[in-house]
């Protein structure tokens, strides 16, 4: 048996998504920038997908700029915002952001922007008092993720928005929704920019979007043909967008997706605790975090060792962000949360999707218990 529990890294495209992409390549392959009639078909499909995104986010008149994925959309949000503003530049990002935001913020510092990294507590919650203190000096940009990709900790977007609007009304508020889109509710009217990525919701890799408040100006990070309202030059990935459009439809039809995910996650926690006495949970309480992510530490066994032991039995999890998993270091997210280094080294992330079955969960817990019983005998003293 196989249990794929690494859906925060990527999800399997559904058959409907694959069929939609195949049609786009076989029949509607035209360049949407061309002027003849058949080229209007992919253009209409792109605009239909934009409308679906707006509807899902309560973003009636927002611009939807298609990108190659979440990383590019996050880069456009940060560099595009600062590039369109006048100095002095002051930005705040949480200390537990995805590398596409954290490393972009480091580049902003090199460009002369003052960057404040918002501390978090052991549950991954923002230190709003520390942020308030920073905002009182004015701010250009605030960027926080909706759902943490390693622990499932959620940002209280309503609280964040209220604080930013009160203390730094001219600041732009960006939310990285890569792990939250269509899994956790959000009202775009509270923010200015929102990032999403297709391959986290059963669409293909290589397509994402930055949703931008109407009339908010950005400086383009791509130049060339002027596609996407001059904000993202380059011929659009129309097969990918067709797949994203279908994935949005399929996810929204599953009106019980949040309840299903939370039920499966709590079952995983229960079964893992039974199988591995002493198991530790990193981040928020399971019922308080996002419905599809949980981070465990297996005392005395390095996460990478446990990962490969599980892999031998067809159980797939992750040591952290897939974008940095090949960089051998302790998770910066867990470190920023104050998790001790050894406990962080023992950590593995398990992430679900609406199609995850109870059988997969039960099998994964059973295998984890068996593997841990063997591996803990070799723990370092």
């Amino acid at each position: 048996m196989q249990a794929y529990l690494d859906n925060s890294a990527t999800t399997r495209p559904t058959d409907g998504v694959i069929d939609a992409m195949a049609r786009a390549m076989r029949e509607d392959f035209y360049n949407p920038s061309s002027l003849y009639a058949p080229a209007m078909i992919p253009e209409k499909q792109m605009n239909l997908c934009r409308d679906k995104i707006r509807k899902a986010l309560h973003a009636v008149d927002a611009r939807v700029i298609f990108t190659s994925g979440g990383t590019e959309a996050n880069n456009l949000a940060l560099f595009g915002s600062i590039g369109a503003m006048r100095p002095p530049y002051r930005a705040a990002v949480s200390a537990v952001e995805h590398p596409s935001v954290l490393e972009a913020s480091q580049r902003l510092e090199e460009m002369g922007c003052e960057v404040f990294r918002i501390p978090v507590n052991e549950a991954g919650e923002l230190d709003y008092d520390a942020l308030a203190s920073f905002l009182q000096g004015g701010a250009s940009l605030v960027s926080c993720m909706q759902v943490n990709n390693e622990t499932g900790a959620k940002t209280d977007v309503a609280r964040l928005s209220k604080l930013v609007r009160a203390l730094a009304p001219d600041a732009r508020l960006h939310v990285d929704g890569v792990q939250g889109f269509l899994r956790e509710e959000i009202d775009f009217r509270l923010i200015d920019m929102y990032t999403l990525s297709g391959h986290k919701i059963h669409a293909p890799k290589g397509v994402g979007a930055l949703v931008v408040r109407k009339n908010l100006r950005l400086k383009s990070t791509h130049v060339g043909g002027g596609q996407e309202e001059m904000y993202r030059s380059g011929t659009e990935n129309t097969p990918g967008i067709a797949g994203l459009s279908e994935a949005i439809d399929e996810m929204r039809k599953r009106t019980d997706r949040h309840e299903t995910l939370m039920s499966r996650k709590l079952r995983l926690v229960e079964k893992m605790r039974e199988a591995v006495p002493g198991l530790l949970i990193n981040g928020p309480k399971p019922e308080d975090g996002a419905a599809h992510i949980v981070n465990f530490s297996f005392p005395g066994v390095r996460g990478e060792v446990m990962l490969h032991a599980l892999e031998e039995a067809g159980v797939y999890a992750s040591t952290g962000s897939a974008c940095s998993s090949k960089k051998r270091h302790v998770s910066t997210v867990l470190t920023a949360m104050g998790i001790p280094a050894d406990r962080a080294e023992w950590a593995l992330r398990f992430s679900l999707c609406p199609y995850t079955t109870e059988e997969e969960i039960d099998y994964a817990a059973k295998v984890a218990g068996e593997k841990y019983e063997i591996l803990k005998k070799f723990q370092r003293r």
Side-chain angles (χ1 to χ4, degrees):
M1 183 176 176
Q2 185 179 98
Y4 180 72
L5 301 179
D6 196 20
N7 289 276
S8 287
T10 198
T11 54
R12 182 185 68 81
T14 66
D15 292 342
V17 165
I18 294 169
D19 290 344
M21 293 178 66
R23 285 194 300 272
M25 288 186 280
R26 287 197 187 100
E27 303 167 20
D28 304 323
F29 57 86
Y30 308 96
N31 189 321
S33 295
S34 296
L35 298 179
Y36 38 78
M40 295 180 64
I41 298 173
E43 182 182 16
K44 287 180 180 178
Q45 291 173 341
M46 286 167 50
N47 289 332
L48 178 60
C49 186
R50 293 187 219 272
D51 287 340
K52 292 176 182 179
I53 291 170
R54 293 187 187 104
K55 187 173 182 180
L57 295 174
H58 312 288
V60 179
D61 57 358
R63 298 199 307 275
V64 178
I65 303 167
F66 288 118
T67 67
S68 63
T71 290
E72 185 188 337
N74 282 340
N75 274 242
L76 178 57
L78 271 66
F79 294 122
S81 290
I82 296 299
M85 304 173 82
R86 294 179 179 178
Y89 309 119
R90 301 183 82 234
V93 302
S94 88
V96 292
E97 292 300 305
H98 185 271
S100 60
V101 169
L102 279 183
E103 294 185 19
S105 72
Q106 292 169 2
R107 188 70 59 85
L108 289 177
E109 282 184 305
E110 295 169 6
M111 296 163 56
C113 179
E114 178 185 352
V115 177
F116 175 67
R117 290 174 181 82
I118 311 163
V120 298
N121 63 19
E122 63 181 9
E125 299 167 336
L126 294 178
D127 184 336
Y128 290 97
D129 290 337
L131 175 59
S133 180
F134 173 79
L135 293 176
Q136 286 169 357
S140 310
L141 173 70
V142 177
S143 179
C144 294
M145 59 195 347
Q146 183 184 6
V147 171
N148 186 271
N149 56 307
E150 292 192 31
T151 67
K154 298 190 293 185
T155 295
D156 185 340
V157 175
R159 182 178 179 183
L160 177 65
S161 176
K162 185 177 180 180
L163 182 66
V164 173
R165 300 309 189 210
L167 298 180
D170 294 331
R172 297 179 178 191
L173 179 53
H174 167 246
V175 170
D176 175 358
V178 166
Q179 293 295 341
F181 182 56
L182 294 180
R183 282 151 296 179
E184 297 290 335
E185 285 297 319
I186 190 168
D187 187 341
F188 182 81
R189 291 168 292 189
L190 297 172
I191 63 177
D192 299 304
M193 296 175 285
Y194 185 85
T195 292
L196 62 96
S197 179
H199 76 109
K200 309 299 187 179
I201 59 164
H202 304 281
K205 302 169 187 65
V207 63
L210 180 67
V211 185
V212 183
R213 177 172 54 79
K214 184 180 180 181
N215 298 327
L216 187 146
R217 192 167 67 91
L218 297 172
K219 183 176 181 180
S220 172
T221 55
H222 278 60
V223 294
Q227 290 89 345
E228 296 302 290
E229 300 182 52
M230 304 292 289
Y231 288 107
R232 204 282 182 183
S233 290
T235 303
E236 292 92 347
N237 176 8
T238 53
I241 294 168
L244 174 59
S245 185
E246 174 64 21
I248 292 171
D249 284 343
E250 292 181 7
M251 286 287 282
R252 297 199 75 197
K253 285 177 183 176
R254 297 182 70 100
T255 55
D256 64 342
R257 61 187 180 277
H258 186 276
E259 292 75 14
T260 298
L261 279 168
M262 183 57 79
S263 173
R264 298 287 192 271
K265 174 183 168 180
L266 295 179
R267 183 184 184 94
L268 176 63
V269 170
E270 177 187 359
K271 295 294 183 180
M272 280 287 191
R273 280 174 166 163
E274 291 174 358
V276 183
L279 184 76
L280 302 168
I281 296 179
N282 303 310
K285 295 178 181 178
E287 60 272 21
D288 294 338
H292 63 296
I293 300 174
V294 62
N295 191 296
F296 298 122
S297 279
F298 297 82
V301 177
R302 289 177 54 218
E304 187 175 348
V305 173
M306 190 69 182
L307 181 148
H308 290 303
L310 294 173
E311 179 189 3
E312 292 173 352
V315 177
Y316 301 100
S318 171
T319 53
S321 171
C323 296
S324 58
S325 62
K326 293 183 180 179
K327 301 175 184 177
R328 294 178 178 273
H329 58 68
V330 174
S331 165
T332 56
V333 169
L334 299 183
T335 299
M337 291 165 53
I339 302 295
D342 55 354
R343 178 169 168 174
E345 194 176 17
W346 303 333
L348 279 185
R349 176 191 69 187
F350 292 77
S351 48
L352 319 180
C353 77
Y355 304 101
T356 301
T357 65
E358 291 186 352
E359 289 75 19
E360 285 180 287
I361 286 169
D362 293 351
Y363 176 68
K366 175 178 175 291
V367 170
E370 293 170 350
K371 297 294 184 179
Y372 183 69
E373 280 298 311
I374 297 170
L375 293 172
K376 72 177 184 179
K377 298 174 184 177
F378 302 98
Q379 62 183 287
R380 289 175 291 180
R381 300 294 181 183

